[in-house]
Amino acid sequence: MTAALCLLFALIIESCIQCGLIPSNTGYAQLFAASTISAQITDQSGKCIYQSQDSECIAPEIVRQVVQCPIMLENGIRLSGKPILGGYVLWKENLPELQEIVRELEDRKEELKDENLIEKENLRTKRKVEKLSVKNQLYDKIQKQTARQSKLLTEFIEAYSMEEDENKRKKILGKIVVIGAYIKRRSNLIFIAEQTVKFPIRELELCFRETIKNLEWNHVEAGFSTALEEIRSEDAMQIYDFFEAVIEESLEDLSAFNVNLKRREARIIMSMSVECKTDLQEIARRYGAYAEQDFDGSWLLSLILGGGGGK
């Protein structure tokens, strides 16, 4: 009974619609004309069929153009169109506010771009300053650790310029190249030490080889040997400093020397045989090394690093 009543009620409503007692699907033209949307409907030739109260009739040639691509009118109004069944629909859009927002976004984009450029420039400058600061610290460190040799080099250069005896000038020149080689190689070891804790023994070997080569100016016979493969930068600089101190102390009467580096468990042992008349005990004590004089007058020096002391 319930289903029958529902069906009967639906049939009554539909009958009223069909006979016109209940209006349906009517008044669309009036509704479209009263609409606040600025739009119009045309047939396929572009002739206006319906239009809203805020729209104006558009020429057929413009209709065909708008359907292909929207066009901008005055005061930021955009005219757009789309094909529909039997014709076209066209409408206007008020875009000034949207355009203002877009302009603001563009301006903000440029501001951010400028800010980013400034920030990048500041960052680049900051990194450059930090890099220069590190370099200055390294240069200060080099200058501090080679100050004595720099002063000694200046004295030798002045003595060379004032000396008239050719043999003495040649001997002074030999001292100059030895001191200069130490400053160059010691600076290189400082740069390496800033980058790594350990490095191949070849770097230290090059330091010794260059000094040995320069000692040929003073007719000094020398030798260097090692069984090490790598060495701590701190140990390498201490070994080279001790070696240079011995050479500088004995340079006046140095005739020959030999250097050997070897490892004993965790320790590095530097053995040095020096043929000279100069007393090297004070230099050995200064660096915590052991020194004794052989029966033939040559000096035997031993420096132990990595937990070792004098003997």
Side-chain angles (χ1 to χ4, degrees), residues 8-183:
L8 179 61
F9 185 75
L11 290 173
I12 292 171
I13 295 297
E14 181 63 25
S15 299
C16 292
I17 292 173
Q18 293 294 331
C19 66
L21 292 175
I22 299 178
S24 176
N25 290 331
T26 59
Y28 287 128
Q30 293 82 356
L31 178 62
F32 187 77
S35 174
T36 57
I37 300 175
S38 180
Q40 67 182 57
I41 298 174
T42 69
D43 59 14
Q44 291 188 349
S45 65
K47 181 181 179 182
C48 182
I49 305 298
Y50 300 105
Q51 69 180 89
S52 64
Q53 60 182 354
D54 292 334
S55 68
E56 299 176 356
C57 288
I58 300 172
E61 60 272 11
I62 297 180
V63 171
R64 288 187 289 271
Q65 181 181 352
V66 169
V67 171
Q68 297 295 326
C69 179
I71 60 175
M72 293 298 299
L73 304 177
E74 296 179 353
N75 300 323
I77 305 298
R78 183 174 68 181
L79 180 62
S80 304
K82 292 291 182 182
I84 58 175
L85 183 63
Y88 307 101
V89 58
L90 291 87
W91 67 94
K92 294 180 180 179
E93 296 173 285
N94 195 354
L95 301 181
E97 293 184 1
L98 181 59
Q99 289 177 330
E100 182 64 25
I101 293 174
V102 171
R103 281 193 296 269
E104 290 180 1
L105 290 175
E106 289 294 332
D107 293 341
R108 186 56 182 162
K109 180 180 177 182
E110 290 298 322
E111 291 177 4
L112 291 174
K113 184 178 179 181
D114 294 339
E115 290 177 2
N116 288 336
L117 289 176
I118 294 173
E119 186 66 25
K120 287 181 180 179
E121 185 64 23
N122 290 337
L123 182 60
R124 188 183 69 83
T125 304
K126 183 179 178 181
R127 289 178 178 174
K128 187 176 180 180
V129 170
E130 291 176 350
K131 189 175 180 181
L132 290 174
S133 177
V134 172
K135 285 185 177 180
N136 288 335
Q137 291 176 5
L138 284 175
Y139 293 146
D140 292 341
K141 188 174 183 180
I142 290 171
Q143 186 176 10
K144 182 178 179 180
Q145 296 189 13
T146 61
R148 188 173 63 85
Q149 285 75 21
S150 298
K151 182 179 179 182
L152 196 59
L153 184 62
T154 302
E155 293 175 358
F156 285 152
I157 293 174
E158 291 178 355
Y160 179 81
S161 61
M162 297 176 62
E163 184 60 55
E164 296 180 357
D165 185 272
E166 190 61 31
N167 292 329
K168 291 182 179 181
R169 283 169 61 89
K170 188 174 182 180
K171 191 171 184 179
I172 295 173
L173 184 60
K175 296 178 182 179
I176 291 174
V177 294
V178 170
I179 300 299
Y182 169 78
I183 294 175

Side-chain angles (χ1 to χ4, degrees), residues 196-214:
T196 179
V197 177
K198 290 184 178 181
F199 55 80
I201 194 63
R202 176 168 173 77
E203 292 293 338
L204 182 59
E205 184 178 355
L206 290 173
C207 298
F208 281 102
R209 298 295 182 192
E210 184 166 353
T211 301
I212 289 172
K213 183 178 180 181
N214 291 331

